[in-house]
Amino acid sequence: MTGPSSTPRGERPGRPGANWDTQLVRTERVVDETSGPDMNQPLPPHPNRATRRAQARAARRKR
């Protein structure tokens, strides 16, 4: 097995006459901060086990 090369290989040179034109594309989105939940308010607590079981029972009775 051969060891690492002492001369690093850089990027390959481009073809003569090839254009490397790039176009910038904006991917920003404006977020309306007044319509969603407030980021500084804590999330509501998760329902406890009794509540989850009651919701599951109600969902089973509905079907």
Side-chain angles (χ1 to χ4, degrees):
M1 192 162 111
T2 62
S5 173
S6 61
T7 57
R9 293 187 233 166
E11 294 184 7
R12 293 172 46 190
R15 295 187 320 265
N19 293 333
W20 291 87
D21 294 333
T22 59
Q23 292 180 345
L24 297 177
V25 178
R26 295 188 71 150
T27 57
E28 298 175 358
R29 289 188 299 159
V30 177
V31 177
D32 184 15
E33 295 178 358
T34 60
S35 64
D38 188 8
M39 297 299 289
N40 295 324
Q41 298 298 321
L43 293 174
H46 294 289
N48 61 14
R49 183 171 185 249
T51 306
R52 290 194 312 265
R53 292 184 65 180
Q55 289 173 343
R57 268 196 313 273
R60 281 195 304 269
R61 288 182 186 159
K62 229 179 203 182
R63 288 194 265 168

